[in-house]
Amino acid sequence: ETDEELSNFYTYVYETIKLVKDINPKTKYVEFYNEYGNQDPKVATRMQKTGYEAAKAADPEIIVIGGATARFPLEFIESLLKEGFGNYIDAFSGHPYTSEVKPEDTTFKYGTAMEQILSARELLDRYGHEDVDIILSELSYTAFAACETEVDQASYGLRQYIMVSPMVEEYIWYNAINKKGTGTASEFEGNYGLLKSWARETGVHYQAKPVTLAFGAYNDLLAQGEKLGRVETDDEDVYI
């Protein structure tokens, strides 16, 4: 929060991007912080401004993402925009999880992922940031909570992707590998993975879960198609 701290942050961002670009010149994005929600908007904006300027000094072409909010808390986002946060981003990110319910459930207290994205889009536009894309830097389903099985995770996760992907610039599934742990909280957090384990662990190396196979089949058969709407069926497990 102090000038010295912001100066150190500038140096950190600049040097990190230079290093990363040397390792992988194709690096396209940089995102600061994770899951804002109750921070001082003035401090958050100063931090974003510092990071933005450092990132652009290191690589003028890099896309700077800001927000990374837990879901899309509109009151907090608006407080950021009032401080000028939107002037220091190329894209705004959020994590509109609906893991507790099916992706179409409009009774969820935070709204569907689509409803959350639409509200964020309207807010950005209202503050003059029509050119700022929305990126989902996290979104997925855990094989827990609303998903009783790994097959449910595949079904809900892919359905949600089909619904929201036309509305955003990028969609990043969280996460690649299941996390280890015990207890309800750990099982919830630990089962978002596309794969069950690393190669160094026991069992089948890099064992794919059904969700990986579902996305693979979708990409192979339908990725170049255009979503026009939904065909209603009598079987809630059949989604067309």
Side-chain angles (χ1 to χ4, degrees), residues 170-186:
E170 298 282 358
Y171 176 114
I172 300 172
W173 180 279
Y174 174 87
N175 54 353
I177 308 286
N178 275 0
K179 298 179 181 179
K180 288 188 173 181
T182 58
T184 299
S186 293

Side-chain angles (χ1 to χ4, degrees), residues 166-235:
M167 306 167 65
V168 298
E169 182 67 19
E170 298 282 358
Y171 176 114
I172 300 172
W173 180 279
Y174 174 87
N175 54 353
I177 308 286
N178 275 0
K179 298 179 181 179
K180 288 188 173 181
T182 58
T184 299
S186 293
E187 288 186 60
F188 187 94
E189 175 66 25
N191 283 285
Y192 279 100
L194 296 168
L195 307 178
K196 287 189 175 182
S197 63
W198 295 102
R200 65 177 181 269
E201 298 173 347
T202 59
V204 179
H205 296 333
Y206 298 114
Q207 183 177 359
K209 295 164 66 177
V211 63
T212 307
L213 306 179
F215 271 96
Y218 173 82
N219 287 337
D220 184 51
L221 298 172
L222 299 171
Q224 302 306 314
E226 179 183 356
K227 180 178 179 291
L228 299 178
R230 182 180 176 188
V231 177
E232 298 292 339
T233 67
D234 294 331
D235 187 343

Side-chain angles (χ1 to χ4, degrees), residues 44-211:
T45 300
R46 289 183 69 198
M47 178 179 170
Q48 185 68 28
K49 178 178 184 292
T50 300
Y52 181 89
E53 292 172 348
K56 294 297 185 179
D59 177 10
E61 300 303 316
I62 201 162
I63 296 172
V64 179
I65 305 170
T69 52
R71 301 192 168 92
F72 282 107
L74 299 181
E75 185 175 342
F76 175 71
I77 294 172
E78 185 164 19
S79 72
L80 292 176
L81 296 177
K82 286 180 178 178
E83 295 296 330
F85 190 92
N87 297 321
Y88 309 110
I89 57 175
D90 300 312
F92 191 90
S93 61
H95 310 156
Y97 284 106
T98 59
S99 301
E100 297 85 348
V101 297
K102 294 181 179 181
E104 308 87 357
D105 192 338
T106 58
T107 66
F108 188 47
K109 62 181 178 180
Y110 300 107
T112 66
M114 291 185 296
E115 290 170 337
Q116 294 180 57
I117 294 166
L118 282 172
S119 296
R121 178 75 271 161
E122 291 170 359
L123 189 56
L124 288 166
D125 291 352
R126 184 163 16 115
Y127 278 82
H129 301 298
E130 295 90 346
D131 59 335
V132 170
D133 292 320
I134 291 179
I135 287 176
L136 304 184
S137 53
E138 284 186 30
L139 188 61
S140 59
Y141 267 87
T142 177
F144 198 70
C147 299
E148 297 180 0
T149 68
E150 291 180 353
V151 173
D152 287 340
Q153 180 193 28
S155 175
Y156 296 176
L158 183 55
R159 275 155 52 183
Q160 188 169 70
Y161 169 78
I162 293 169
M163 293 173 188
V164 305
S165 56
M167 306 167 65
V168 298
E169 182 67 19
E170 298 282 358
Y171 176 114
I172 300 172
W173 180 279
Y174 174 87
N175 54 353
I177 308 286
N178 275 0
K179 298 179 181 179
K180 288 188 173 181
T182 58
T184 299
S186 293
E187 288 186 60
F188 187 94
E189 175 66 25
N191 283 285
Y192 279 100
L194 296 168
L195 307 178
K196 287 189 175 182
S197 63
W198 295 102
R200 65 177 181 269
E201 298 173 347
T202 59
V204 179
H205 296 333
Y206 298 114
Q207 183 177 359
K209 295 164 66 177
V211 63

